[in-house]
Amino acid sequence: MRIVIFGTGQIYCQQRKYLEPDKEIVVFIDNDSAKWNTYLDGVKIVSPKDVCGFEYDYIILMSMYAHEMKLQLYALGIPQEKIIHYEDFFHQFYPCKLIRYQLKGKDEREYDKKCLIICNRLGYHGGPMAAVNEAFALESVGIEAHILASDGDQEFIDEVTKKGLTILIYKNLLRAKWCEMSFLQEYTYIIVNTVPMINCAIEIAKHRSVLFWLHDAEVSYREVAYWNDEVRRGLHNSRMKVCAVSNVAKNIFREFYGYEEIEILPTGIADSYALFDKHQYDSRLQIMVIGSIFPLKGQDIFIESFLRLPRVEQIKTQVHIIRKIVDFQFYSEIKKMCTPSDYFLFYGEMSKEELDMMYNSMDILVVPSRQETMSLVAMEAMMYGKVCIVSEKVGIAEYIKNGKNGYLFTDEENLTDILHQCIFQRENLKLLGPEARKTYLKYFTVKECGKKISDILRETQIDK
């Protein structure tokens, strides 16, 4: 089979290991003119308009912008039957097997009910981390929970299975048909996390009940825009109950699909407060910013606000930026913003255990996101009794009372004022920290989350 790959970025890098030798890549096409007439894996990259000069069976769309790519190819006169999304391509031509990861020698408890939590690619980011927390929440109320995904970071999988959770991987999960998912029959309940898995939720809901739980910011909706018509038709199914972690998540979904019947269901996290020695205050105020590096996370907003402070105040602080680089250009820009400052320390992506140690040594967590549906890192900081400074555009802002259990900011100037206040009134942080922990204990514990989930499952009769 002769194929053309449209897109040479992150998705291709993740998926190329699955392409078998009998699939010959004739050429790559990409909209980035800087890549034209260069080579990737020994194959030339050209402009999309040049694809008409090649013979091929399919053009495979490997990008979050697959919908726009499809329309672009239509405009070039490429017939619809020659264009295929990479998820549909792998589902059609690459049958896969279910892979199970489980802790060896795990003591098996007897559970009356089992729940399967389905999410997108596993790793140290929002949706999968939420799935892990939800699994422990369900087990705290007597429901065994497993996690199913289409792919995952091996380090993340190993870490989670060591904690006793079972992980299942099924490569073609996003576009799998009901007849391929016989393994679902062993579960009493099914929860589908995150918008990128909405096709999976719709397919399951044709045959049995499913709880579809929204955690996603607007950017995630690009991943399913290719199938938007199919999604809109499938949403109106009485077997599917839709919940959202916050009003931010609810409103985004409503804007995209016009769907109104959404219940708020916040997630929860395990309490690690007693596991670490309590933090002793450093002479410098320790500030932490956690999140993947791309514009939506707003690291530039924080840095700009911090740099507005007089130097006499900056030297009283140390800023720790913990990240996974998603947008290298944006990363380069914020690094330049920090130069030649000695106040910023950059770290790579961290495991849960490493992050816990960082939380313990921090005074403040700042969440400067331009949009975020909840913020697990803010929940974790509040669990540790740390003060959070959070953008009003973040879902967890609904739970923060300004100046009582944390701070909310509206813009860069407002954030600078709050940082100034924290630097010169550090004693107030000792008062706000315990209030932040009280908020965690009231709303975000594993048991509270597990109770809310199980109540919804029972009340809506989401079972076999």
Side-chain angles (χ1 to χ4, degrees):
M1 178 184 294
R2 294 167 61 83
I3 59 175
V4 174
I5 303 292
F6 194 166
T8 58
Q10 183 180 11
I11 290 178
Y12 171 72
C13 292
Q14 291 172 350
Q15 300 297 326
R16 62 182 166 189
K17 62 185 176 182
Y18 299 110
L19 288 169
E20 295 176 350
D22 65 334
K23 307 299 188 294
E24 178 190 355
I25 302 176
V26 178
V27 71
F28 289 100
I29 56 177
D30 199 286
N31 283 315
D32 184 352
S33 60
K35 296 180 178 181
W36 296 347
N37 298 315
T38 64
Y39 287 80
L40 176 62
D41 295 340
V43 179
K44 193 173 185 179
I45 305 173
V46 301
S47 167
K49 67 181 181 181
D50 295 331
V51 75
C52 299
F54 295 86
E55 294 185 4
Y56 54 86
D57 297 297
Y58 288 102
I59 298 177
I60 305 173
L61 310 180
M62 288 197 176
S63 171
M64 289 180 65
Y65 297 94
H67 177 65
E68 291 82 357
M69 288 174 163
K70 177 178 65 174
L71 298 179
Q72 182 181 356
L73 293 174
Y74 286 169
L76 292 171
I78 308 299
Q80 181 177 352
E81 61 270 17
K82 290 278 191 176
I83 304 168
I84 189 169
H85 192 282
Y86 75 94
E87 292 282 6
D88 289 317
F89 178 80
F90 284 114
H91 178 253
Q92 184 173 339
F93 295 106
Y94 288 80
C96 65
K97 294 181 179 179
L98 185 70
I99 302 172
R100 181 182 295 261
Y101 295 91
Q102 193 170 18
L103 181 65
K104 292 182 179 179
K106 176 186 175 182
D107 292 333
E108 296 294 337
R109 288 178 56 186
E110 291 295 329
Y111 292 91
D112 293 330
K113 298 181 183 295
K114 294 176 68 175
C115 181
L116 184 65
I117 303 171
I118 299 173
C119 67
N120 55 337
R121 190 178 192 277
L122 299 177
Y124 295 98
H125 51 278
M129 294 300 297
V132 171
N133 292 323
E134 291 152 17
F136 285 122
L138 286 165
E139 294 200 344
S140 75
V141 293
I143 300 173
E144 183 179 6
H146 295 172
I147 297 173
L148 170 66
S150 59
D151 199 358
D153 176 83
Q154 193 59 51
E155 182 180 355
F156 178 88
I157 292 171
D158 292 342
E159 181 177 335
V160 170
T161 53
K162 284 178 182 177
K163 294 178 180 178
L165 290 180
T166 295
I167 300 292
L168 307 173
I169 299 293
Y170 190 73
K171 172 71 177 81
N172 294 337
L173 181 60
L174 179 65
R175 300 296 286 166
K177 301 303 179 185
W178 178 252
C179 60
E180 301 170 56
M181 298 187 286
S182 59
F183 52 85
L184 298 183
Q185 299 305 318
E186 68 176 281
Y187 296 96
T188 316
Y189 308 117
I190 299 174
I191 298 173
V192 177
N193 270 15
T194 72
V195 164
M197 300 311 300
I198 193 169
N199 287 309
C200 184
I202 288 170
E203 178 64 20
I204 294 170
K206 294 175 184 176
H207 305 275
R208 57 170 294 184
S209 297
V210 60
L211 171 59
F212 182 51
W213 199 353
L214 304 169
H215 295 72
D216 312 79
E218 187 173 336
V219 65
S220 296
Y221 287 72
R222 293 176 185 162
E223 297 184 40
V224 293
Y226 187 85
W227 302 285
N228 268 350
D229 291 341
E230 182 180 331
V231 168
R232 290 189 179 95
R233 289 193 300 270
L235 276 175
H236 300 281
N237 186 328
S238 60
R239 294 191 186 96
M240 185 158 64
K241 170 73 174 179
V242 182
C243 290
V245 292
S246 67
N247 281 307
V248 173
K250 174 180 176 178
N251 291 336
I252 295 169
F253 192 81
R254 185 169 55 189
E255 288 172 12
F256 268 86
Y257 296 117
Y259 191 85
E260 298 289 342
E261 299 176 23
I262 305 172
E263 186 172 338
I264 300 300
L265 177 61
T267 189
I269 58 171
D271 191 353
S272 304
Y273 183 76
L275 300 181
F276 295 91
D277 296 332
K278 300 302 171 281
H279 167 53
Q280 299 297 317
Y281 279 79
D282 193 279
S283 59
R284 301 172 72 180
L285 185 72
Q286 302 296 311
I287 302 172
M288 182 163 60
V289 180
I290 307 175
S292 298
I293 300 289
F294 68 107
L296 195 67
K297 289 294 185 180
Q299 288 92 349
D300 58 321
I301 294 173
F302 167 76
I303 294 168
E304 180 65 33
S305 300
F306 179 85
L307 293 176
R308 289 169 179 258
L309 293 168
R311 181 173 174 79
V312 69
E313 297 181 22
Q314 293 178 12
I315 62 176
K316 296 177 182 292
T317 68
Q318 182 74 68
V319 176
H320 305 260
I321 298 178
I322 302 166
R323 80 295 184 269
K324 174 184 178 181
I325 303 173
V326 174
D327 186 324
F328 282 89
Q329 181 178 348
F330 183 66
Y331 177 61
S332 177
E333 290 170 1
I334 65 171
K335 285 283 284 185
K336 287 179 182 177
M337 292 174 68
C338 298
T339 305
S341 174
D342 297 326
Y343 315 123
F344 298 94
L345 295 175
F346 283 81
Y347 304 80
E349 194 173 24
M350 291 186 175
S351 69
K352 180 65 169 62
E353 285 74 12
E354 290 170 329
L355 271 178
D356 284 339
M357 296 299 294
M358 288 296 293
Y359 281 122
N360 194 48
S361 62
M362 294 297 117
D363 297 302
I364 292 172
L365 174 78
V366 180
V367 184
S369 300
R370 290 178 166 87
Q371 184 187 79
E372 192 163 344
T373 56
M374 195 59 181
S375 182
L376 284 174
V377 294
M379 290 168 57
E380 289 171 346
M382 294 170 78
M383 178 266 291
Y384 277 117
K386 304 298 180 180
V387 175
C388 294
I389 305 175
V390 178
S391 164
E392 287 188 338
K393 297 176 182 178
V394 175
I396 203 168
E398 300 170 30
Y399 300 89
I400 294 178
K401 296 179 180 179
N402 205 15
K404 303 295 183 182
N405 62 348
Y407 294 101
L408 299 174
F409 73 90
T410 55
D411 54 29
E412 291 175 359
E413 185 176 352
N414 185 208
L415 177 53
T416 301
D417 291 341
I418 294 170
L419 292 171
H420 167 83
Q421 181 179 341
C422 291
I423 292 168
F424 281 98
Q425 299 179 19
R426 286 188 67 177
E427 290 301 310
N428 282 352
L429 301 182
K430 295 181 180 179
L431 301 176
L432 268 64
E435 294 303 313
R437 177 158 172 81
K438 287 179 183 177
T439 303
Y440 159 77
L441 292 171
K442 183 175 181 179
Y443 297 106
F444 304 127
T445 63
V446 161
K447 279 204 169 183
E448 181 67 18
C449 178
K451 181 178 180 299
K452 288 177 180 176
I453 299 171
S454 59
D455 285 348
I456 284 181
L457 294 175
R458 283 195 301 268
E459 289 170 7
T460 55
Q461 295 183 334
I462 296 180
D463 54 15
K464 289 186 181 180

